[in-house]
Amino acid sequence: MTDLYRLLPEEMEKMVIDMGYQRYRADQILMPLYFKFPKSIADIKQLPKKMIAEMVEAGYTIGSAKEIHRVTSEDGDTTKLLLNLTNDKSVETVLMQYESEKENGLPRSTVCVSTQIGCAMGCTFCATGQMGFETNLKAEHIVAQVVHFEEIIEQKKEHITNLVFMGMGEPMANYDEMIRAVKILTDPRGFGLGQRHITISTIGIKEGIEKLADEDLQIGLAISLHAPNNELRKKLVPTATKDSVKEIIDAGHYYFKKTGRRVTFEYALMEGVNDSRDTAQELAELLRGNGSHVNVIPINPTAGDFKRPSKSRVFEFKRILNEAGVNCTIRIEKGTEISAACGQLRTDIVQIK
Ligand code: SAH
Ligand code: SF4
């Protein structure tokens, strides 16, 4: 079985040519796939009946996601879905639409996709990490999450404008499928999103960051640092290597050098853990003068006992970084009341709701 959502446009062309059809048939499949959302090959009316039968016979399918649960935040800005994928597993995906951030009169619509079910990295403050690793998602499962949301908002004449790989799982630990999905989603003959509208967030796997830098793509990179030294980092990210902080900074530089795209360091701020003035100063020293950008995320509640620092502590942390010349923003998360914010995705919790 081959899901058509798995194929790059050039592979789609090869498929139709190998079947004895002309190249333009590939576009007759691609266009509806990303704009009309057919549920079966027979739904692609432009194709000759004979070709449809041959494709079905050869084992091609269209694997759409099935929605099994939906929660929307009170303000309507955040929607979390539990989707059943063709691997018969369920995954959480989040859509964020902020009225305040309009582009050409339409809201910016960002999908936060998952690349794995669970995660093997075991970060102590992350609900996904705490559920352990279940499975890697295939490219078609990643694409299906985006296409599903596009189908929903297209009814309001809105479109997905941005994509962040910040859902369940570590994208670099599922590199080949992740990058295949990125290529399909950014190909003008595929889903057609601009590369600059995509951000990959990683816990900091050096080989993955370097490989991504060498892809010659213009996608954004966010590295989850969380601590300015290895000793503290190891407590939060148990799978980190003993040199992880240095490796991450070096890999970030390499990414910037190769792509020209500024790297964002994410820093989940936890009361009494990594939010002291000294820690802020240490972080500032580490990043000073290299054009880095720090995104501070006051921790979102999960099952663990980490607490979000007070507002004044959060602003003080930012001030120390700023005064040292390090660019810093605070990410005010939406969707926490429906457990749709960063680090809160955990399928078993949603299923029992
Ligand atoms: N595995 C990748 C991407 C998914 S996590 C990574 O770790 O980067 C996406 C972001 O959510 C990361 O920056 C992660 O550190 C952050 N995060 C995880 N748990 C969180 C929590 N409880 N509160 C706030 N942010 C959290
Ligand atoms: Fe995995 Fe990222 Fe969660 Fe760590 S923070 S457990 S890497 S999803």
Side-chain angles (χ1 to χ4, degrees):
M1 293 288 220
T2 306
D3 189 333
L4 294 182
Y5 279 121
R6 179 175 181 74
L7 298 185
L8 289 156
E10 58 268 30
E11 293 171 338
M12 198 78 81
E13 279 187 350
K14 183 171 182 310
M15 175 195 79
V16 299
I17 290 167
D18 286 351
M19 289 175 71
Y21 291 92
Q22 282 182 287
R23 194 180 295 267
Y24 76 90
R25 293 289 182 195
D27 287 312
Q28 287 187 328
I29 301 172
L30 285 160
M31 213 283 291
L33 266 192
Y34 296 102
F35 295 98
K36 300 257 184 258
F37 321 108
K39 301 292 172 248
S40 73
I41 299 179
D43 286 347
I44 308 178
K45 300 291 178 211
Q46 295 93 320
L47 297 181
K49 287 229 163 57
K50 179 167 164 284
M51 185 176 174
I52 292 173
E54 285 167 6
M55 284 177 73
V56 172
E57 176 69 27
Y60 290 104
T61 57
I62 293 179
S64 318
K66 288 188 188 60
E67 194 173 316
I68 45 181
H69 192 83
R70 183 187 296 205
V71 257
T72 305
S73 62
E74 249 167 53
D75 57 16
D77 285 352
T78 313
T79 305
K80 179 168 78 168
L81 301 183
L82 185 65
L83 296 177
N84 193 249
L85 303 171
T86 51
N87 59 359
D88 218 18
K89 303 263 184 198
S90 301
V91 75
E92 290 193 345
T93 314
V94 180
L95 173 72
M96 296 158 285
Q97 291 189 297
Y98 302 139
E99 281 300 318
S100 55
E101 294 179 357
K102 289 212 166 164
E103 282 168 23
N104 302 327
L106 291 172
R108 180 194 290 192
S109 302
T110 304
V111 181
C112 177
V113 288
S114 298
T115 51
Q116 300 182 312
I117 299 188
C119 182
M121 305 308 293
C123 300
T124 49
F125 52 88
C126 170
T128 311
Q130 293 307 300
M131 72 182 264
F133 174 72
E134 216 179 286
T135 191
N136 276 327
L137 294 181
K138 295 278 183 202
E140 57 268 39
H141 302 137
I142 301 171
V143 172
Q145 296 170 50
V146 183
V147 168
H148 188 85
F149 268 126
E150 175 71 11
E151 186 176 2
I152 293 175
I153 67 170
E154 191 259 354
Q155 289 161 14
K156 298 186 281 176
K157 303 252 179 305
E158 293 169 1
H159 297 284
I160 304 302
T161 57
N162 295 71
L163 205 59
V164 291
F165 282 70
M166 295 187 185
M168 297 169 81
E170 169 48 43
M172 299 300 185
N174 187 15
Y175 189 90
D176 291 347
E177 296 299 316
M178 176 274 288
I179 204 73
R180 172 178 276 275
V182 165
K183 288 180 178 163
I184 293 167
L185 291 165
T186 54
D187 196 300
R189 297 167 70 200
F191 191 68
L193 260 185
Q195 289 177 7
R196 289 176 160 268
H197 293 220
I198 296 188
T199 301
I200 310 268
S201 176
T202 173
I203 197 62
I205 297 177
K206 180 174 168 276
E207 297 73 32
I209 296 173
E210 290 172 354
K211 216 166 154 188
L212 189 66
D214 294 336
E215 294 278 355
D216 204 19
L217 295 170
Q218 277 294 297
I219 49 185
L221 179 69
I223 305 181
S224 299
L225 186 60
H226 309 313
N229 61 65
N230 292 315
E231 199 193 343
L232 177 56
R233 190 161 199 269
K234 200 80 183 128
K235 288 186 190 148
L236 306 173
V237 185
T239 45
T241 63
K242 69 179 190 357
D243 299 322
S244 70
V245 171
K246 182 177 183 320
E247 280 176 2
I248 283 177
I249 306 291
D250 290 350
H253 283 162
Y254 182 72
Y255 192 84
F256 178 63
K257 222 169 66 200
K258 285 291 294 227
T259 63
R261 300 232 40 204
R262 189 180 66 166
V263 174
T264 296
F265 290 99
E266 289 169 297
Y267 195 100
L269 206 59
M270 302 165 227
E271 187 183 80
V273 177
N274 64 355
D275 68 337
S276 72
R277 284 186 200 100
D278 288 350
T279 312
Q281 243 126 25
E282 197 181 340
L283 183 66
E285 280 307 315
L286 185 72
L287 300 176
R288 190 203 294 273
N290 62 18
S292 306
H293 174 230
V294 177
N295 196 198
V296 167
I297 318 164
I299 192 99
N300 296 312
T302 64
D305 45 20
F306 293 103
K307 281 203 198 74
R308 184 180 275 205
S310 67
K311 264 197 186 141
S312 60
R313 184 34 64 105
V314 176
F315 282 109
E316 193 183 8
F317 198 88
K318 173 178 154 61
R319 186 182 53 77
I320 293 172
L321 286 170
N322 286 155
E323 278 174 5
V326 177
N327 192 312
C328 172
T329 47
I330 298 168
R331 190 195 298 169
I332 305 296
E333 293 253 307
K334 295 220 172 185
T336 47
E337 88 272 21
I338 57 164
S339 286
C342 274
Q344 294 187 312
L345 304 187
R346 184 186 170 112
T347 40
D348 55 355
I349 291 179
V350 174
Q351 269 160 334
I352 56 166
K353 257 189 186 165

